[in-house]
Amino acid sequence: MADPLLNVEDLRTYFSTEEGVVKAVDGVSFQVQAGERRGVVGESGCGKSVTAMSIMRLIEPPAGEIVTGKIEFDGRDLLQLPESEMQDVRGGEIAMIFQDPMTALNPVYTIGDQLMETILLHQDVSKSQAREIAINTLSDVQIPKAANVMEDYPHQFSGGMRQRVMIAMGLSCDPKLLIADEPTTALDVTTQAQIMNLMLELAEQRNTAVLLITHDLGVVAGFCDNIQVMYAGSIVERGTGDEIFHNPQHPYTWGLLGSMTRLDESQQERLNSVRGAPPSLINPPKGCRFGPRCDFATDICREALPILHQSQEGQKVACHRSDELDLKAMTVGVG
Amino acid sequence: MTERGPVDEAVLDVAEGISAEPITQWDLFVTRLRRHRFAMIAVFYLAFIAFVALTAPLFTCAKNDTFCGNGPIEMSGVTTILMLVITAGGVYLAYTSFRSGLRGGGIALTLMTFVCALLLISSWGVIDLPHVNHYADQLPDESGRILVNIAPRASLPMGTDDLGRDVLSRVIHGGRASLAVGIVVGGLVALLGTVIGALAGYYPGVVDQSLMRFTDLVLGLPLLPVAIVVGRVLPELQFLPGFLKQGAWGIAVLLGLLVWGALARIVRAEFLSLREKEFVEAARAAGANDRRIIFRHILPNAMSPIIVQTTLIVGTAIIVEAALSFLGFGVRPPIPTWGGMAASGAAIAVRGFWWELVFSASALITTVLAINFIGDGLRDALDPTQTIERK
Amino acid sequence: MFAYIIRRLVYGIVTLFALSLVVFVLIQFSGGSPLDRLRLNPRMQPVIAQLTEQWGLDRPWYEQYFVWLKNFITPIDVAPQEGLTIVMFGKLGIWSWVAVAAFLGAAAYTVGAFFATAKANWWRTFRAFSIIGVWVAAFWIIKSRIVFALNWGTSFRGDGPVWDNIFGAAGNTFRLGLTALAIALIIGIPLGIYQAIRQYSFFDQMGTMLSFITFSTPIFIIGVMLQLILAFYLERWTGVKIFYVVGMTGSGYEELGRGLFGLPSLAQLGDVIQHLTLPALSIAAISMAGYSRFQRASMLEVMHSDYLRTAKAKGLPRRSIIVKHALRNALIPIVTLVSLDIAFMIGGAIITESIFGWPGVGRLYIGAISAIDYPTIMAVVMAIGAGVVLMNIIADILYGVLDPRVRYD
Ligand SMILES: Nc1ncnc2c1ncn2[C@@H]1O[C@H](COP(=O)(O)OP(=O)(O)OP(=O)(O)O)[C@@H](O)[C@H]1O
Ligand code: SF4
Ligand SMILES: [Mg+2]
């Protein structure tokens, strides 16, 4: 395998709050290859966004801090880069798209201003060239009459259109990696699919790797090469879309799959879903963090923290009992 | 599924940090408020001021005052001890009930009623104050001369003013005017602002339009100039009952009537947004009438801004009263007020007699500061979005 | 937009009407009379009778009110005492020069912006600056009050036409108020911004604490303390008179000699500063505390906004994130605050002016109140009310110009 584009090793990002230290990301390691589409799923608060923000080094001290870890991107450790070089990486080599397009654009500048700002920042072009690039990218994201909307303000746009602008802004400098943090959650269902297709298509054309964050397994299943499942600040299972979707090894993944809405659901009982609430990230439960909510927990689960290892089925999983459990058999109608 | 009894499951849950026992809004509020150190100090400070002002007649009589034979600080040992015991008891009571008793809300309510009653009685004294002739508080020396402008010393911790009156007793009595303003303005603003804002927010159309135009009108009145006019003519308005013409009551009512506009706007905005919420729709669908929806469903959810805003308005009102008294259009001499004392203190401070000014000003500033701290603490405690990043 | 302004104006006029009625009725019911002082002297009987007749004091209050109202909005002929050019260049004080300079600057900027920007943004710039221009022009007219006058009556205290008194005093009040405003803005806003950028630092906490205390301090205490410490005690200790505590200029001001073009000489300027500093500081202290707190809050809100995160994710350097993206947004709300402060400037200086013997509108008002000089009282109240109404509208317009999201219709 070639050198990965992004190599995250044992990343730990903590926040200090009134209540204590929130271990939002606690020992996450993964790699993304050039051009790959990688999905990250997990329920709300499991640390997906914080992982992404850590890669971009957007965690703001003093509240949050990357305690340890290594983030290698294209051969450089981002955590060691001086701020000025990091600024070139942000937006230039790694671009990020956020969840809420309604608030992600600065209300007092025109779309054109904000697009051209990025282009001028990362490319050595004149103002008029930048304008041209901006207009081209806007038409790439299928905004009609791209030249005319350059002078418009964000509030004149719908949510879907604004997210297109955000995508244009992200892709305008041909980044190597595009991090999309729940890019379609705030949009209505019909727009969601359009935007997702558009984004991935454009990324593919430019050979841009995509790190797609969502809490919707259905979305990543359709779009991603590889999927990693996060739970309470760490990765609990990682594999190809097929592996994760058809043959989950971790009880949490299995539960997530079970809680997905299915067309044929009315005909059967939902056997598996995730009960209870996510654990505290300040005092995580001892042993397996999923233990308190896991139907298969045994004594060893309460003692030792399972680490991510190769399972017999091929994907990696962090569960003591993954090999003895046959989750697939217990699932009715999945697959 | 592994076997677990319900009890044992709950215990485990707590132990494993999945969920603690259900934390109520009130607990959260109290915890957050207690974390706001300044606000806590301010609460006790205000309680102290209120207590001292309430009991003022007990221990601030001048030497030759016919009502009590002891001098201001040369109080009998018994009075001193009594005073200290009562103060300590009050503070302890407030502290313990704050620590433990507030959870149910019942004790809190009792306590608040108690404090309010205290404050009311204390400020009621303002009416009678004209009868306590403070010129009689002048302190003659052995040869019978009036001791004017005496610097602070052990027997007179705040000295005397240019008429020979004991500044400490006047500072203590002066607190009553500020308290009266605080209570009356707080009450009036909370009442008027909430009722008008709620009606406007709940009944769109004509009610909303007319109430809001009226609110705009009141907000458009320039506060200080109008207050000055009213303060000037207040004692001369024949149709007013006597107690409103003299002392702090009239001023307090006047200020209360002038400053509720901002709160009304806030409450209206709150009602407008809450009216559309699901739980209100649900209540309506369940057949609740307007009154029930307003009082049981919307109002409790709009309490935070009402409380915070009222607190801040009270601070402003106390400043305005002091300013009126300073200019001579508020509470008239010889009734002592902090603003009035600052005015006469400023006149003699030029000659080097700084104490009347400094002590009355300090009392005023610390009281307003305490109120603002409490307002700030309440805002932090009541607004859950603000707390997460605080270190 | 136009309809919106008209609607606001109509509401404003209704408010002013109500305001006048309330104050008028209050004065009438007070039972006091401006002639009370004359009554002490028995020989004044015929004068009292004559004045009662002349001022209509024996008529029912509503008749008096309508007479007052009718006069209040009736222009009177004022013989132009000097030609317009003389007014422009002869009688202008320091502030008028500042106003002229500001106006010329605004015009130059507008022209410059027109040629500099390729995009059609100039129209917005022009609108913004023509508003400032109108404001400056209004101020200018106030200064050269000879052009136009309404029949606001004659002071009961015998110091002449109320219109002249008010506008004469308004100039002085503006000198005080604008200086204070400038100090408050120049210190308060950067302070708030810096605090927000360095949130939780020692500096931030000190600043918050200080502005909290200042904000809780009544202005008269600040004024009196400044007088005592920076004037009386300082003079006692150093033996030099640095600041004055009464009046706008020293008694020998004219003898200090004029400078070029009728501008004040350096000595005169020094004298003005010695008188202006303390009252301006006491007003500025409170506004400064307010501005820095407000600016800090609004800056913090922007700093935590999603679009600032976007700006960071784009790779912008921290400087341009703060200057270009954060500041631009964080300054918008403060515009409203400042506009309202300007509106209250006339009334807001009442306390300071009476402490510092500053011959402005506030002191005029206090004097009129004591004597129940109702033409003056009414005029001051109405002027303040009108200021509030106008500045509210101007604030809204400015807001619309600065924030593209806001549209009025
Ligand atoms: N600035 C912060 N201060 C304190 N805690 C934070 C902060 N940002 C995030 N956290 C905590 O980190 C944890 C992970 O948050 P994160 O935003 O990564 O979740 P997520 O997986 O993206 O969830 P969602 O699907 O809701 O976006 C949360 O429990 C959150 O409380
Ligand atoms: S390690 Fe144990 S508790 Fe954790 S997921 Fe696997 S079976 Fe469940
Ligand atoms: Mg997230």
Side-chain angles (χ1 to χ4, degrees):
Chain A
M1 219 194 276
D3 272 353
L5 177 69
L6 175 74
N7 178 20
V8 177
E9 264 175 44
D10 195 32
L11 178 70
R12 287 169 204 268
T13 305
Y14 296 172
F15 292 91
S16 34
T17 65
E18 284 179 330
E19 285 80 21
V21 177
V22 176
K23 301 181 181 117
V25 173
D26 204 15
V28 162
S29 308
F30 62 94
Q31 297 170 346
V32 177
Q33 307 294 332
E36 180 188 341
R37 290 173 182 178
R38 165 68 57 101
V40 181
V41 281
E43 65 198 332
S44 195
C46 69
K48 306 180 297 286
S49 299
V50 174
T51 308
M53 302 277 276
S54 302
I55 295 172
M56 295 288 275
R57 263 176 56 187
L58 289 177
I59 303 289
E60 291 274 315
E65 199 189 350
I66 300 177
V67 200
T68 56
K70 198 162 90 172
I71 301 174
E72 257 177 8
F73 179 77
D74 221 10
R76 286 167 297 171
D77 187 349
L78 296 186
L79 295 183
Q80 305 301 326
L81 283 189
E83 181 61 27
S84 59
E85 280 179 49
M86 192 61 212
Q87 279 161 12
D88 294 335
V89 174
R90 286 191 204 118
E93 293 172 62
I94 309 180
M96 188 158 173
I97 298 171
F98 298 99
Q99 176 170 346
D100 191 356
M102 301 311 275
T103 53
L105 288 163
N106 193 331
V108 301
Y109 293 109
T110 60
I111 304 279
D113 278 344
Q114 298 188 53
L115 261 173
M116 282 165 59
E117 186 180 36
T118 321
I119 297 167
L120 286 169
L121 198 64
H122 295 289
Q123 297 177 32
D124 195 14
V125 292
S126 72
K127 256 195 160 170
S128 53
Q129 284 169 311
R131 192 178 160 77
E132 205 145 295
I133 300 177
I135 294 175
N136 286 340
T137 337
L138 280 179
S139 3
D140 282 350
V141 292
Q142 294 166 9
I143 289 182
K145 303 208 189 92
N148 296 348
V149 305
M150 290 284 283
E151 315 300 339
D152 285 351
Y153 287 93
H155 71 271
Q156 294 163 294
F157 278 51
S158 70
M161 290 299 257
R162 284 190 222 182
Q163 200 61 302
R164 283 170 203 261
V165 173
M166 284 300 291
I167 293 172
M169 199 187 282
L171 292 175
S172 59
C173 295
D174 286 323
K176 292 177 189 146
L177 173 65
L178 177 70
I179 302 177
D181 188 356
E182 309 196 24
T184 57
T185 313
L187 305 176
D188 62 78
V189 189
T190 42
T191 332
Q192 274 184 6
Q194 281 174 17
I195 296 280
M196 197 65 87
N197 277 322
L198 177 75
M199 181 179 78
L200 294 170
E201 220 166 83
L202 288 173
E204 187 157 350
Q205 279 170 21
R206 291 158 205 244
N207 195 29
T208 299
V210 177
L211 190 68
L212 178 63
I213 295 173
T214 166
H215 51 240
D216 189 350
L217 252 180
V219 171
V220 281
F223 291 113
C224 295
D225 308 324
N226 292 300
I227 295 174
Q228 57 200 38
V229 182
M230 283 188 71
Y231 182 80
S234 51
I235 296 176
V236 292
E237 182 163 8
R238 171 165 72 233
T240 63
D242 267 356
E243 286 165 346
I244 299 282
F245 209 56
H246 297 297
N247 190 12
Q249 293 294 299
H250 195 283
Y252 176 64
T253 318
W254 176 73
L256 273 187
L257 283 169
S259 52
M260 278 173 58
T261 332
R262 289 163 179 285
L263 288 177
D264 51 352
E265 192 176 29
S266 55
Q267 296 156 16
Q268 51 178 290
E269 221 178 320
R270 265 167 60 170
L271 280 184
N272 48 338
S273 65
V274 189
R275 65 184 166 85
S280 149
L281 294 175
I282 297 171
N283 290 311
K286 223 172 138 248
C288 175
R289 288 190 189 152
F290 187 57
R293 297 166 78 187
C294 180
D295 292 336
F296 313 100
T298 56
D299 286 345
I300 180 175
C301 305
R302 283 178 215 119
E303 290 304 317
L305 183 70
I307 50 163
L308 202 62
H309 63 275
Q310 194 76 39
S311 77
Q312 292 165 357
E313 303 286 334
Q315 64 257 54
K316 295 208 165 168
V317 62
C319 170
H320 293 301
R321 303 187 60 203
S322 55
D323 288 342
E324 29 177 315
L325 294 171
D326 188 1
L327 293 173
K328 195 177 175 187
M330 281 184 254
T331 315
V332 184
V334 171
Chain B
M1 253 212 172
T2 42
E3 284 295 317
R4 264 194 212 166
V7 175
D8 143 14
E9 173 136 4
V11 170
L12 273 177
D13 281 357
V14 174
E16 290 158 357
I18 296 180
S19 66
E21 72 179 284
I23 300 174
T24 64
Q25 275 314 107
W26 180 256
D27 288 335
L28 270 180
F29 163 70
V30 173
T31 324
R32 291 208 195 98
L33 187 60
R34 277 184 26 210
R35 203 169 291 146
H36 200 290
R37 232 174 318 135
F38 287 122
M40 287 320 293
I41 298 172
V43 167
F44 290 119
Y45 180 73
L46 270 194
F48 172 72
I49 292 273
F51 176 78
V52 169
L54 160 73
T55 52
L58 279 184
F59 52 93
T60 59
C61 293
K63 250 184 185 165
N64 60 350
D65 190 303
T66 43
F67 294 105
C68 89
N70 292 312
I73 295 310
E74 297 152 59
M75 284 179 300
S76 70
V78 180
T79 326
T80 315
I81 293 169
L82 199 71
M83 190 188 104
L84 286 178
V85 168
I86 296 176
T87 313
V91 170
Y92 181 73
L93 183 78
Y95 181 68
T96 45
S97 36
F98 206 86
R99 287 213 63 164
S100 59
L102 288 194
R103 171 164 298 169
I107 300 181
L109 217 65
T110 324
L111 188 79
M112 272 155 76
T113 324
F114 174 68
V115 170
C116 286
L118 226 76
L119 295 178
L120 263 177
I121 300 166
S122 74
S123 33
W124 192 262
V126 174
I127 309 161
D128 299 327
L129 272 178
H131 306 299
V132 180
N133 184 355
H134 275 261
Y135 291 101
D137 288 354
Q138 290 158 335
L139 303 167
D141 65 4
E142 298 78 36
S143 58
R145 278 183 308 143
I146 303 286
L147 301 174
V148 297
N149 293 329
I150 296 180
R153 60 189 60 179
S155 60
L156 290 164
M158 294 188 184
T160 63
D161 67 5
D162 55 336
L163 294 172
R165 295 171 293 184
D166 172 34
V167 173
L168 174 60
S169 40
R170 284 176 62 77
V171 165
I172 289 174
H173 276 287
R176 298 179 151 222
S178 296
L179 281 176
V181 169
I183 292 159
V184 174
V185 171
L188 269 180
V189 166
L191 187 76
L192 288 175
T194 309
V195 168
I196 292 179
L199 289 179
Y202 193 79
Y203 298 104
V206 183
V207 177
D208 181 20
Q209 280 299 311
S210 46
L211 283 181
M212 276 317 143
R213 285 293 80 74
F214 180 59
T215 309
D216 285 348
L217 211 153
V218 174
L219 273 173
L221 300 181
L223 177 60
L224 193 60
V226 173
I228 288 177
V229 178
V230 189
R232 166 72 176 82
V233 302
L234 205 58
E236 292 161 17
L237 292 180
Q238 288 96 0
F239 56 86
L240 282 185
F243 80 99
L244 283 181
K245 291 194 214 172
Q246 307 237 309
W249 288 102
I251 304 286
V253 171
L254 147 76
L255 290 177
L257 291 178
L258 284 176
V259 294
W260 52 267
L263 180 65
R265 272 202 188 160
I266 291 173
V267 173
R268 171 176 176 268
E270 204 72 12
F271 263 66
L272 275 181
S273 77
L274 286 172
R275 203 180 48 175
E276 310 296 330
K277 288 273 153 66
E278 290 86 3
F279 62 87
V280 174
E281 296 293 333
R284 197 170 289 135
N289 60 15
D290 283 356
R291 224 180 89 186
R292 195 177 157 77
I293 291 177
I294 291 179
F295 284 105
R296 302 283 311 200
H297 295 279
I298 302 186
L299 200 55
N301 285 293
M303 264 345 259
S304 317
I306 294 179
I307 293 173
V308 172
Q309 191 64 25
T310 307
T311 315
L312 296 178
I313 290 179
V314 164
T316 314
I318 289 182
I319 289 189
V320 174
E321 181 276 326
L324 285 185
S325 298
F326 179 86
L327 291 173
F329 302 117
V331 181
R332 305 295 202 274
I335 305 175
T337 58
W338 292 335
M341 290 176 70
S344 58
I348 54 174
V350 193
R351 290 188 278 147
F353 311 132
W354 49 267
W355 38 92
E356 185 181 13
L357 172 66
V358 167
F359 289 120
S360 56
S362 315
L364 184 55
I365 297 175
T366 47
T367 302
V368 177
L369 194 60
I371 290 174
N372 283 344
F373 272 140
I374 292 176
D376 201 49
L378 286 172
R379 193 202 331 253
D380 278 2
L382 292 169
D383 180 0
T385 56
Q386 275 199 339
T387 51
I388 188 135
E389 274 189 58
R390 211 162 243 233
K391 244 193 145 177
Chain C
M1 184 70 176
F2 190 68
Y4 174 81
I5 295 178
I6 296 293
R7 201 167 68 225
R8 288 291 303 266
L9 269 177
V10 171
Y11 289 153
I13 289 170
V14 174
T15 308
L16 287 178
F17 185 74
L19 175 67
S20 68
L21 200 60
V22 168
V23 175
F24 199 90
V25 168
L26 270 171
I27 299 172
Q28 291 295 320
F29 274 79
S30 74
S33 155
L35 302 178
D36 282 350
R37 274 189 301 185
L38 297 181
R39 288 218 172 83
L40 297 177
N41 186 340
R43 277 188 299 170
M44 281 297 188
Q45 210 50 52
V47 180
I48 292 177
Q50 189 215 330
L51 286 177
T52 307
E53 168 71 31
Q54 184 186 334
W55 290 340
L57 295 177
D58 48 355
R59 282 186 264 168
W61 69 268
Y62 49 88
E63 260 182 55
Q64 289 191 43
Y65 177 72
F66 283 114
V67 169
W68 171 83
L69 188 64
K70 189 182 135 272
N71 284 339
F72 194 78
I73 51 178
T74 316
I76 44 174
D77 288 333
V78 185
Q81 296 159 3
E82 299 157 79
L84 193 59
T85 38
I86 305 169
V87 175
M88 276 171 67
F89 294 108
K91 275 198 82 179
L92 294 188
I94 305 173
W95 281 108
S96 315
W97 280 101
V98 173
V100 173
F103 188 72
L104 292 180
Y109 187 96
T110 313
V111 175
F114 176 60
F115 288 110
T117 3
K119 284 181 291 178
N121 244 350
W122 65 272
W123 174 235
R124 279 160 42 78
T125 321
F126 177 73
R127 274 189 310 181
F129 278 93
S130 42
I131 288 164
I132 297 175
V134 168
W135 189 69
V136 170
F139 177 67
W140 196 354
I141 292 172
I142 291 173
K143 264 314 275 193
S144 52
R145 63 207 124 96
I146 303 147
V147 186
F148 175 79
L150 292 175
N151 185 9
W152 284 7
T154 315
S155 160
F156 283 180
R157 288 184 300 163
D159 33 337
V162 172
W163 175 273
D164 281 9
N165 290 345
I166 298 254
F167 284 97
N172 300 341
T173 296
F174 274 123
R175 176 191 291 191
L176 180 58
L178 289 177
T179 313
L181 182 72
I183 299 176
L185 284 178
I186 290 172
I187 302 179
I189 294 207
L191 201 70
I193 292 169
Y194 190 76
Q195 277 181 273
I197 296 175
R198 299 250 175 285
Q199 200 191 1
Y200 303 130
S201 67
F202 177 73
F203 182 86
D204 176 30
Q205 280 166 359
M206 282 310 292
T208 306
M209 197 65 206
L210 256 179
S211 47
F212 223 102
I213 293 175
T214 316
F215 206 70
S216 305
T217 308
I219 192 164
F220 59 85
I221 291 182
I222 296 187
V224 165
M225 288 296 181
L226 282 180
Q227 280 190 338
L228 280 178
I229 297 168
L230 288 186
F232 291 114
Y233 291 154
L234 197 65
E235 190 190 346
R236 191 175 296 174
W237 293 326
T238 60
V240 190
K241 200 160 188 66
I242 303 171
F243 298 118
Y244 292 85
V245 293
V246 175
M248 298 213 319
T249 51
S251 50
Y253 180 75
E254 286 306 327
E255 280 89 82
L256 291 173
R258 283 259 157 202
L260 291 174
F261 309 119
L263 283 172
S265 63
L266 274 184
Q268 284 183 324
L269 214 60
D271 187 63
V272 166
I273 291 174
Q274 281 181 304
H275 284 83
L276 187 56
T277 307
L278 292 188
L281 266 188
S282 33
I283 298 180
I286 307 246
S287 323
M288 201 153 69
Y291 292 165
S292 70
R293 269 162 63 76
F294 194 83
Q295 185 63 66
R296 177 178 180 273
S298 109
M299 187 75 181
L300 276 180
E301 193 182 322
V302 173
M303 300 268 285
H304 291 142
S305 66
D306 284 2
Y307 54 84
L308 225 70
R309 193 182 53 189
T310 308
K312 279 178 222 155
K314 273 178 177 181
L316 280 175
R318 189 175 158 81
R319 238 187 107 77
S320 40
I321 291 176
I322 287 174
V323 175
K324 190 174 170 200
H325 286 266
L327 262 187
R328 173 72 210 281
N329 285 282
L331 284 174
I332 295 176
I334 204 113
V335 169
T336 320
L337 191 71
V338 173
S339 318
L340 292 184
D341 253 29
I342 295 175
F344 285 109
M345 196 180 279
I346 303 180
I350 291 179
I351 298 170
T352 322
E353 285 180 2
S354 60
I355 294 176
F356 286 92
W358 192 269
V361 180
R363 215 179 63 152
L364 195 67
Y365 188 60
I366 295 289
I369 290 270
S370 309
I372 315 204
D373 172 5
Y374 84 74
T376 309
I377 299 179
M378 294 302 294
V380 174
V381 168
M382 296 306 280
I384 295 171
V388 174
V389 168
L390 278 183
M391 285 313 294
N392 260 315
I393 298 175
I394 290 180
D396 280 354
I397 296 173
L398 270 181
Y399 208 101
V401 171
L402 291 174
D403 190 335
R405 282 167 297 182
V406 180
R407 283 285 164 268
Y408 300 108
D409 34 37

